């Protein structure tokens, strides 16, 4: 998986400026391969629609995926005749490769793509990109599976589409409804960070992009669309489905082992309503407390279950140490991901080592409590042992949270003014 993205989080979303700029606000890419018959009517129809209805400047980019027919000639003619049309030639096939190449070189703040058959009703284009222009969302997709969508297609394609989305929901926990609709848009600042992480160059490209964006906490806007199937589609369903399943396995494995630095796609505090500052409380503390309490409650149940299991064959002290050690590793990993939002492998070993130090403090408190109980009662009942352990763990919880927040997982997104200024200067120099 690619991880060669720049460090730091994304800036807060903002409404795009209304003043006229040199770059068009919207760049719509049409990836094509041997489409010399359909390309010209598609581009002219799209151009006419945008010229009549779209309130911002626009560009239409034809991304030719190494066509061997007259597609390059048609593209060049449209480029020459229509000022808003640009032709881009690639010498290798692959829809994902075409989109990554065009989007990576585009200067437009909003990037979109649609299939050349224009199966999707163009009236959905403005609702698709409006949330990106306003700063509300990071990506937007057309959905044929929404209740209010109107779709005309055969039962075979209907079954394949719904089965594929069911696989995504069950295997990758995807919450978006339609991964395959060829009608999507993304903000350029998000694309610059996200595209280098997307490995696929074919039909799985946009599915992988959506899964990574969703896992990173980016906001995906869905638009119900009217869609009519193209019966002359040249897509090989069997080979495409096979490659998609391989992609699902690859992405699922990478997410499971934390191989992707998704924290680089996070939005800063203040952009998420959950992170709004509470008077007298540091930013993000309220949400972290909720996450820590949930993880702590589950970890305590896991710890007590292990203690009861180990206690059947071991002494109280040995059972406590083994149960606490096992639950501490799980607790650190869960808090790392869920409470403090740290993803990827970077620093994972160090975090676990620091977590074990926190574990040692908890072990000292709980072991000391057990020793005191044994000295006072001699042979206490199992229920009494559990009660004492619960009290000791509650006493250690506050200290554990403070250590995790301040030492193990300090807030990496809070920069001093000087650091922010230095980063801005560096970015400015790099841009030049």
């Amino acid at each position: 998986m690619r991880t060669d993205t720049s460090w730091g989080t994304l800036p807060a979303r903002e409404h795009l400026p209304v003043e006229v700029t040199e770059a068009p606000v919207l760049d719509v890419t049409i990836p094509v391969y041997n489409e010399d018959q359909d390309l010209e009517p598609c581009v002219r129809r799209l151009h006419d629609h945008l010229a009549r209805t779209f309130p911002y400047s626009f560009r239409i980019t034809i991304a030719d995926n190494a066509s061997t027919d007259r597609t390059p000639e048609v593209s060049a003619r449209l480029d020459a005749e229509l000022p808003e049309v640009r032709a881009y030639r690639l010498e290798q096939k692959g829809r994902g490769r075409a989109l990554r190449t065009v989007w990576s070189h585009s200067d437009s703040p909003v990037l979109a793509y649609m299939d050349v058959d224009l199966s999707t009703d163009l009236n959905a284009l403005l609702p698709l990109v409006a949330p990106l222009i306003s700063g509300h969302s990071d990506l937007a997709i057309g959905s044929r599976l929404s209740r209010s969508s109107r779709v005309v297609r055969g039962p075979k394609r209907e079954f394949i589409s719904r089965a594929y989305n069911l696989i995504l929901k069950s295997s990758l926990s995807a919450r978006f409804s339609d991964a395959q609709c060829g009608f999507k848009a993304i903000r350029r600042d998000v694309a610059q960070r996200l595209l280098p992480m997307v490995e696929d160059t074919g039909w799985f490209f946009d599915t992988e992009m959506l899964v990574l964006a969703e896992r990173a906490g980016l906001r995906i806007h869905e638009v119900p669309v009217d869609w009519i199937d193209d019966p002359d589609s040249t897509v090989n369903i069997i080979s495409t489905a096979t490659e998609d399943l391989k992609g699902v396995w690859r992405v699922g494995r990478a997410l499971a082992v934390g191989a992707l630095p998704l924290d680089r796609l996070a939005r800063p505090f203040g952009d998420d309503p959950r992170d709004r500052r509470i008077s007298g409380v540091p930013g993000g503390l309220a949400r972290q407390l909720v996450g820590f309490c949930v993880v702590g409650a589950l970890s305590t149940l896991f710890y007590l279950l292990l203690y009861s299991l180990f206690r059947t064959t071991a002494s109280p002290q040995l059972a406590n140490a083994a149960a606490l050690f096992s639950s501490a590793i799980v607790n650190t990993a869960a808090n790392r991901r869920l409470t403090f939002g740290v993803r990827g492998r970077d620093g994972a070993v160090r975090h676990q080592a620091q977590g074990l130090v926190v574990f040692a403090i908890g072990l000292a408190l709980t072991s000391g409590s057990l020793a005191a109980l044994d000295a006072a009662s001699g042979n206490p009942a199992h229920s009494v042992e559990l009660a004492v352990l619960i009290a000791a763990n509650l006493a250690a919880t506050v200290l554990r949270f403070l250590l995790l927040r301040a030492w193990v997982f300090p807030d990496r997104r809070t920069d001093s003014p000087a650091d922010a200024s230095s980063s801005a200067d560096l970015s400015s120099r790099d841009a030049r």
Side-chain angles (χ1 to χ4, degrees):
M1 303 293 291
R2 292 182 173 86
T3 58
D4 52 337
T5 56
S6 58
W7 289 101
T9 58
L10 285 165
R13 288 186 296 264
E14 295 181 354
H15 195 297
L16 296 180
V18 296
E19 62 268 15
V20 177
T21 59
E22 293 184 3
V25 172
L26 174 65
D27 191 346
V28 183
T29 301
I30 303 177
V32 292
Y33 174 73
N34 288 348
E35 298 284 358
D36 57 354
Q37 298 299 316
D38 297 332
L39 179 57
E40 183 165 358
C42 159
V43 171
R44 292 192 180 278
R45 178 184 164 197
L46 175 60
H47 181 273
D48 177 68
H49 176 84
L50 289 171
R52 287 187 298 103
T53 66
F54 195 68
Y56 296 91
S57 55
F58 66 90
R59 175 194 297 136
I60 300 173
T61 301
I62 303 170
D64 176 15
N65 297 313
S67 294
T68 57
D69 62 359
R70 296 182 56 256
T71 296
E73 300 172 23
V74 177
S75 301
R77 184 171 69 251
L78 291 170
D79 187 333
E81 293 180 8
L82 301 174
E84 293 83 8
V85 174
R86 178 182 65 173
Y88 201 104
R89 169 75 177 182
L90 291 91
E91 299 303 327
Q92 291 179 291
K93 291 178 60 176
R95 183 180 68 170
R97 177 180 289 106
L99 292 175
R100 188 204 322 277
T101 302
V102 172
W103 285 355
S104 297
H105 291 85
S106 178
D107 55 356
S108 296
V110 177
L111 312 169
Y113 94 88
M114 61 181 62
D115 294 333
V116 68
D117 55 20
L118 294 186
S119 296
T120 305
D121 181 14
L122 293 178
N123 287 327
L125 183 55
L126 182 55
L128 182 81
V129 301
L132 309 187
I133 294 174
S134 70
H136 174 270
S137 301
D138 299 294
L139 298 92
I141 64 173
S143 175
R144 299 163 296 182
L145 302 181
S146 171
R147 289 182 179 273
S148 57
S149 298
R150 296 184 298 178
V151 176
V152 178
R153 62 178 167 183
K156 180 180 178 181
R157 285 185 175 271
E158 180 74 12
F159 173 78
I160 292 174
S161 179
R162 291 189 179 275
Y164 180 65
N165 282 282
L166 181 61
I167 291 173
L168 293 180
K169 291 180 184 297
S170 59
S171 61
L172 298 177
S173 301
R175 296 190 297 274
F176 48 85
S177 64
D178 192 350
Q180 294 178 308
C181 182
F183 196 70
K184 297 181 175 69
I186 184 172
R187 285 177 65 103
R188 183 166 63 96
D189 58 345
V190 176
Q192 289 174 339
R193 298 286 188 92
L194 180 55
L195 294 185
M197 298 185 190
V198 180
E199 183 173 323
D200 191 79
T201 59
W203 293 96
F204 186 70
F205 170 85
D206 38 357
T207 298
E208 184 173 355
M209 178 180 68
L210 289 174
V211 170
L212 299 187
E214 186 176 77
R215 287 298 187 95
L218 297 179
R219 184 174 296 152
I220 301 175
H221 177 72
E222 296 198 16
V223 178
V225 297
D226 297 340
W227 192 84
I228 300 177
D229 187 20
D230 178 13
D232 299 324
S233 174
T234 58
V235 177
N236 188 315
I237 296 178
I238 301 299
S239 62
T240 300
T242 301
E243 293 302 316
D244 285 349
L245 292 177
K246 291 180 181 179
V248 169
W249 167 256
R250 172 176 52 79
V251 172
R253 182 178 57 184
L255 292 172
V257 300
L260 294 167
L262 298 180
D263 55 319
R264 303 179 190 181
L265 298 172
R267 289 292 188 182
F269 288 159
D271 187 58
D272 189 329
R274 296 172 301 177
D275 291 325
R276 290 174 182 165
R277 293 187 176 276
I278 302 173
S279 179
V281 178
L285 179 58
R287 179 163 59 88
Q288 290 178 357
L289 279 172
V290 173
F292 180 79
C293 289
V294 172
V295 171
L298 295 176
S299 298
T300 299
L301 292 176
F302 181 60
Y303 160 76
L304 293 175
L305 178 63
L306 289 179
Y307 177 81
S308 299
L309 179 64
F310 295 151
R311 187 66 179 85
T312 59
T313 58
S315 65
Q317 293 287 3
L318 184 58
N320 174 63
L324 196 59
F325 179 80
S326 301
S327 61
I329 294 177
V330 175
N331 181 276
T332 300
N335 275 311
R336 181 178 189 268
R337 177 67 178 272
L338 303 177
T339 303
F340 299 98
V342 179
R343 296 178 174 86
R345 296 179 178 178
D346 294 345
V349 175
R350 174 173 56 82
H351 293 154
Q352 282 292 351
Q354 292 172 311
L356 289 179
V357 175
V358 179
F359 149 76
I361 297 175
L363 178 62
L365 288 173
T366 53
S367 297
S369 300
L370 284 175
L373 176 63
D374 185 66
S377 304
N379 187 23
H382 180 64
S383 59
V384 176
E385 288 182 352
L386 291 180
V388 170
L389 287 174
I390 291 173
N393 271 288
L394 289 175
T397 296
V398 174
L399 180 59
R400 184 183 305 123
F401 176 75
L402 293 175
L403 288 173
L404 288 177
R405 179 178 169 85
W407 180 47
V408 183
F409 307 111
D411 189 355
R412 297 164 301 150
R413 293 176 289 184
T414 303
D415 298 324
S416 66
D419 293 338
S421 176
S422 298
S423 299
D425 291 342
L426 287 173
S427 300
S428 176
R429 288 197 296 270
D430 290 341
R432 292 195 294 268

